[in-house]
Amino acid sequence: MEPINVNQSISKNADFIEQVGIESGQPVHKCYQCGKCTAGCPVAFAMDYPPNQVIRMVQLGLKEELLRCNSIWLCATCSTCTTRCPCNIEIAHVMEVLRVMAGRSGTTPPGKAKNVELFYDSFLNTVEKYGRMFEVGTILQYNLKSKKPFNNADLGLPMFQKGKLKLGPSKVKNANEVARIFAEARRMEGGGK
Ligand code: SF4
Ligand code: SF4
């Protein structure tokens, strides 16, 4: 990362810092960089900025760097960091808000992190349609979107044989209510996808 002028960055992106705090509901300003979150994070090794640095970057208003980093897409929302954090900061919420902000700003996830976004989309599409997870539908959508139609195809047959996958979807009762929640979320987000 290039050297930064901390004061300039904070004053230029004050709105961003405030918005992350409001949307996540997390007291990001309390972080004092003890590093316990990163020490326990199972994915930190693959992130371009580990969790403690992500929180510090929010404090410093490094918006562009955050919205295009892979850390926000690799976070597995396991909450290990939160259980270790002396300030009770829900870092997974912060990561989630940053993902939403990246989507709103049209920032494409870097490298392989793009596949995480495609998986989220595929998963949520099936939940919106059936009111619950439909594994085969999610896998097919994901494979087509990621242009690898036969990805993991060799695993399909053994999973069918063991009853782990069903060919057809099962809908929950009142699946239309779930679809309505999706529509309302889109309306609140300003009519986005
Ligand atoms: S919630 Fe995300 S950042 Fe926190 S420990 Fe899990 S993977 Fe790491
Ligand atoms: S554990 Fe909490 S206080 Fe410590 S670095 Fe991580 S977010 Fe900051």
Side-chain angles (χ1 to χ4, degrees), residues 5-192:
N5 181 316
V6 170
N7 288 335
Q8 260 181 19
S9 176
I10 291 174
S11 65
K12 180 178 151 212
N13 287 317
D15 288 353
F16 165 76
I17 299 168
E18 187 183 2
Q19 201 60 28
V20 173
I22 291 171
E23 291 192 32
S24 68
Q26 297 308 303
V28 173
H29 61 280
K30 286 188 179 169
C31 169
Y32 58 93
Q33 290 297 298
C34 69
K36 283 175 178 259
C37 49
T38 295
C41 175
V43 194
F45 73 94
M47 292 176 166
D48 37 17
Y49 305 112
N52 69 303
Q53 283 186 22
V54 167
I55 298 300
R56 186 70 181 131
M57 288 163 77
V58 173
Q59 291 174 333
L60 297 179
L62 298 177
K63 179 178 174 183
E64 285 79 19
E65 289 82 353
L66 281 167
L67 297 193
R68 60 169 188 255
C69 75
N70 78 8
S71 309
I72 61 177
W73 295 98
L74 295 186
C75 170
T77 321
C78 68
S79 289
T80 305
C81 48
T82 302
T83 61
R84 299 171 67 102
C85 177
C87 303
N88 291 320
I89 298 171
E90 296 255 10
I91 297 174
H93 278 354
V94 177
M95 298 280 197
E96 186 178 16
V97 164
L98 293 171
R99 283 196 297 274
V100 171
M101 286 180 162
R104 273 190 216 135
S105 69
T107 308
T108 309
K112 288 185 177 171
K114 177 77 189 147
N115 287 344
V116 180
E117 186 188 35
L118 295 179
F119 185 83
Y120 277 138
D121 281 351
S122 308
F123 167 73
L124 289 173
N125 282 343
T126 60
V127 174
E128 180 175 8
K129 199 163 176 189
Y130 305 113
R132 54 156 293 170
M133 172 69 159
F134 170 40
E135 289 84 354
V136 172
T138 299
I139 294 164
L140 286 176
Q141 277 192 48
Y142 171 74
N143 281 0
L144 290 174
K145 285 178 182 174
S146 58
K147 300 191 172 62
K148 291 181 187 164
F150 301 111
N151 190 29
N152 289 326
D154 55 323
L155 300 176
L157 186 59
M159 289 183 77
F160 279 124
Q161 286 169 334
K162 290 189 175 171
K164 302 288 183 193
L165 286 179
K166 287 188 182 155
L167 269 181
S170 56
K171 256 190 179 181
V172 297
K173 247 193 332 190
N174 299 327
N176 56 328
E177 283 298 300
V178 178
R180 198 178 59 73
I181 292 169
F182 275 84
E184 179 63 10
R186 282 198 194 94
R187 191 192 64 73
M188 290 170 71
E189 281 287 320

